């Protein structure tokens, strides 16, 4: 999907009444926890890790309907060790399907920045200080690598990409819309699992 067409789809229907769909509650998209073993694989000099998928998430904030987006992976080894990353991206990634980010040792992220953390079994979690993370998506498959500041490869990863999308409750409308847990509806997001909103459908279609 071309950039102009994608952004038009994201803006479409922001003020119109959305379709009525039930959105089941689930853990926040940004929750950091080990994932069950699955199809996504990470290889490092410390060993191998796996997870069900690499996750692309879009969190629509309301008006204007432009999302905060990130790609994340939280993988686990047989011995209980974990490896993961979070990488903030912008709308350019949706059309180019490629992004490179600078790794930083803090959790606040913006486009072009990423965090990488690893925890050996029974040990403390450690955040990578400096380096780069490169990500490429082809079809519904994601792959990439993490390089240290000197250019040496620290880790490689690959696996299926899944798309997750959250929206303000009002966007889902109707009697089946989830009830916000806070009186400030502007801060509440609910999963649009059925892709009932044009904005979430456009995101999913961009990676097919």
């Amino acid at each position: 999907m071309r950039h102009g067409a994608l952004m038009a789809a994201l803006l479409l229907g922001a003020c119109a009444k959305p379709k009525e769909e039930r959105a089941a509650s689930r853990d926040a998209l940004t929750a950091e926890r080990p994932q069950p073993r699955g199809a996504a694989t990470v290889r490092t000099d410390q060993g191998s890790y796996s997870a069900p998928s690499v996750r692309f998430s879009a969190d629509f904030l309301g008006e204007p309907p432009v999302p905060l987006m990130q790609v994340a992976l939280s993988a686990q080894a047989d011995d209980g060790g974990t490896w993961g990353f979070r990488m903030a991206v912008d709308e350019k990634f949706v059309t180019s399907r490629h992004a490179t980010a600078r790794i930083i040792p803090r959790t606040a992220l913006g486009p072009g920045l990423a965090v990488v953390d690893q925890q050996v079994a029974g040990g403390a979690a450690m955040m990578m200080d400096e380096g780069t993370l490169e990500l490429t998506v082809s079809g519904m498959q994601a792959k990439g690598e993490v390089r240290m500041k000197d250019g040496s490869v620290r880790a490689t990863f690959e696996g299926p990409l899944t798309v997750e999308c959250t929206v303000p409750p009002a966007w889902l409308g109707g009697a089946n819309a989830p009830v916000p847990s806070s009186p400030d509806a502007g801060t509440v997001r609910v999963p649009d699992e059925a892709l009932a909103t044009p904005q979430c459908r456009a995101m999913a279609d961009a990676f097919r």
Side-chain angles (χ1 to χ4, degrees):
M1 184 180 294
R2 299 177 62 182
H3 176 72
L6 172 67
M7 295 310 296
L10 294 178
L11 293 170
L12 179 65
C15 298
K17 182 179 179 181
K19 294 180 180 179
E20 297 182 6
E21 296 286 350
R22 182 182 301 274
S25 62
R26 62 181 178 186
D27 293 335
L29 296 180
T30 55
E32 294 301 317
R33 64 188 186 280
Q35 297 293 315
R37 294 186 61 81
T41 302
V42 181
R43 295 179 176 85
T44 75
D45 53 5
Q46 302 275 326
S48 297
Y49 306 78
S50 67
S53 66
V54 180
R55 306 187 313 276
F56 169 84
S57 62
D59 179 22
F60 283 92
L61 302 180
E63 298 295 341
V66 177
L68 295 178
M69 295 177 283
Q70 74 170 10
V71 182
L73 174 62
S74 182
Q76 186 170 5
D78 289 333
D79 64 2
T82 62
W83 187 96
F85 74 81
R86 289 186 299 113
M87 177 185 195
V89 295
D90 58 20
E91 68 274 8
K92 294 178 182 178
F93 172 72
V94 180
T95 53
S96 70
R97 300 183 174 214
H98 178 83
T100 301
R102 179 169 62 90
I103 296 169
I104 57 173
R106 62 177 184 269
T107 57
L109 297 178
L113 299 176
V115 292
V116 176
D117 58 74
Q118 184 174 7
Q119 181 175 11
V120 298
M126 299 184 64
M127 210 173 264
M128 186 173 172
D129 288 333
E130 293 184 65
T132 58
L133 190 158
E134 186 170 2
L135 170 69
T136 300
V137 177
S138 178
M140 292 296 291
Q141 291 290 312
K143 65 178 181 179
E145 62 182 21
V146 171
R147 290 183 175 271
M148 300 183 69
K149 188 177 180 180
D150 64 6
S152 60
V153 176
R154 180 74 175 268
T156 61
F157 59 89
E158 60 182 328
L161 183 79
T162 56
V163 177
E164 301 171 333
C165 188
T166 58
V167 299
W171 287 21
L172 293 175
N176 292 332
V179 177
S181 58
S182 164
D184 183 4
T187 64
V188 176
R189 303 291 176 273
V190 293
D192 181 6
E193 294 180 332
L195 303 179
T197 59
Q199 295 83 3
C200 291
R201 280 200 306 274
M203 283 294 173
D205 288 345
F207 289 101
R208 287 176 181 162

